[in-house]
Amino acid sequence: MMSGFIVAFAIAIMPGLNKMGALPAVHSMNAINHAIGSSPLFFILFGGTGMLHIAGLVIALKNPKLPYVWLVICAAGIYLCGVLLVSLGLNIPLNKEMAELDLTISRNDLVAGHILARWTFWNQMRAVSSLLSVLLLAIYLRSTHFINHGFQR
């Protein structure tokens, strides 16, 4: 769920906003961030996805001899570091920088562009991390299916 949201930002929303110019793009990002910040459902999905990865990691670490369990461990590590930590440590602070920027001052266009460039870069890292995590979990599920059901189709 969160992977689709993050990837949508990476491939559609940010490229579209970046075509508007830095100040209008920051204005739009501030509106988006406000909508996200006032949505309990978003926080449930964002936090829930992280909690599912933590639960998967705990289960995997308690059962290290399960076949292909390393895929779950890698998926959780990639998601927790590449999505949650990047979000909390980089993207959210950049959101705060955007919110504090005075958009009525034209010289802030360069500052806005710099903030957007960093936010976009880190969001792309989140997108790659979340997709890689989903891919590893899909491989794990398929691998365990083969173990449980043979190589039949």
Side-chain angles (χ1 to χ4, degrees), residues 9-62:
F9 257 87
I11 65 172
I13 295 170
M14 292 313 296
L17 291 180
N18 286 329
K19 290 183 180 187
M20 300 171 62
L23 290 177
V26 167
H27 180 72
S28 296
M29 280 293 292
N30 287 340
I32 291 167
N33 290 332
H34 178 73
I36 288 171
S38 61
S39 171
L41 180 58
F42 177 84
F43 288 104
I44 291 168
L45 294 173
F46 185 76
T49 303
M51 295 304 280
L52 286 173
H53 278 82
I54 291 169
L57 181 61
V58 169
I59 292 167
L61 291 174
K62 285 186 176 186

Side-chain angles (χ1 to χ4, degrees), residues 64-95:
K65 293 185 180 183
L66 287 175
Y68 304 105
V69 73
W70 63 271
L71 289 165
V72 175
I73 294 168
C74 290
I78 289 168
Y79 189 87
L80 294 172
C81 294
V83 177
L84 283 183
L85 289 180
V86 168
S87 295
L88 297 172
L90 297 162
N91 285 91
I92 292 173
L94 289 169
N95 288 344

